[in-house]
Amino acid sequence: MYFVRVKKYSIIKPLFQKSERTIPSNYRPISLLTEFSKVIEKALYNRLIFHLNNNSLLNPQQFGFRKNLSTDNAIFSLTHEILKALNSKMSLGSIFFDLEKAFDSINHSLLIKKNFRYMVYWANPNF
């Protein structure tokens, strides 16, 4: 699928997140897209989710960005596992990570390779 370069147009606006307004790292960029881009993005998202679900490529414990799943489901699942372990008199430990700015640390060439591995061929970096 070819996406006309002029349709890639967006306006980048800084969105304040926390703390001191004079520190640039307290802002994150958001892209204001054209209507055409939003329609294409939604179509690609639906196609990707359909592919991932039909081929069982998502971990059942993946709660983010999935229909009918939320942080409430994640908390319920965690609580259930904790109670199950305690009722079985098992030892229990937990490690939690705060992945602040996680997307900024992604190796994008590796992400594209994974797209091909999972047969998401239309995830072309030149799109």
Side-chain angles (χ1 to χ4, degrees), residues 8-26:
K8 288 184 180 182
Y9 175 81
S10 69
I11 297 171
I12 310 297
K13 296 270 187 178
L15 179 66
F16 177 70
Q17 287 188 287
K18 61 182 177 188
S19 193
E20 184 63 41
R21 289 189 176 269
T22 59
I23 301 172
S25 63
N26 289 340

Side-chain angles (χ1 to χ4, degrees), residues 33-49:
L33 303 173
T34 64
E35 292 300 319
F36 180 77
S37 295
K38 290 178 185 180
V39 170
I40 295 297
E41 182 180 319
K42 183 69 173 175
L44 291 176
Y45 170 80
N46 289 338
R47 200 168 146 188
L48 176 61
I49 291 300

Side-chain angles (χ1 to χ4, degrees), residues 96-114:
F96 296 91
F97 294 99
D98 178 9
L99 301 176
E100 186 175 324
K101 299 183 181 180
F103 188 75
D104 295 341
S105 64
I106 290 175
N107 179 331
H108 291 267
S109 62
L110 179 61
L111 182 61
I112 290 166
K113 286 179 187 173
K114 284 190 175 253

Side-chain angles (χ1 to χ4, degrees), residues 44-99:
L44 291 176
Y45 170 80
N46 289 338
R47 200 168 146 188
L48 176 61
I49 291 300
F50 179 82
H51 174 75
L52 295 174
N53 287 334
N54 276 4
N55 293 287
S56 302
L57 296 174
L58 291 176
N59 185 312
Q61 299 302 310
Q62 168 68 40
F63 295 100
F65 304 103
R66 295 185 70 189
K67 190 174 184 175
N68 301 321
L69 294 175
S70 67
T71 53
D72 291 340
N73 298 100
I75 292 168
F76 176 80
S77 178
L78 175 63
T79 304
H80 175 74
E81 292 301 319
I82 290 170
L83 292 173
K84 195 164 70 172
L86 292 174
N87 287 336
S88 300
K89 303 203 184 317
M90 296 173 63
S91 296
L92 185 65
S94 297
I95 298 175
F96 296 91
F97 294 99
D98 178 9
L99 301 176

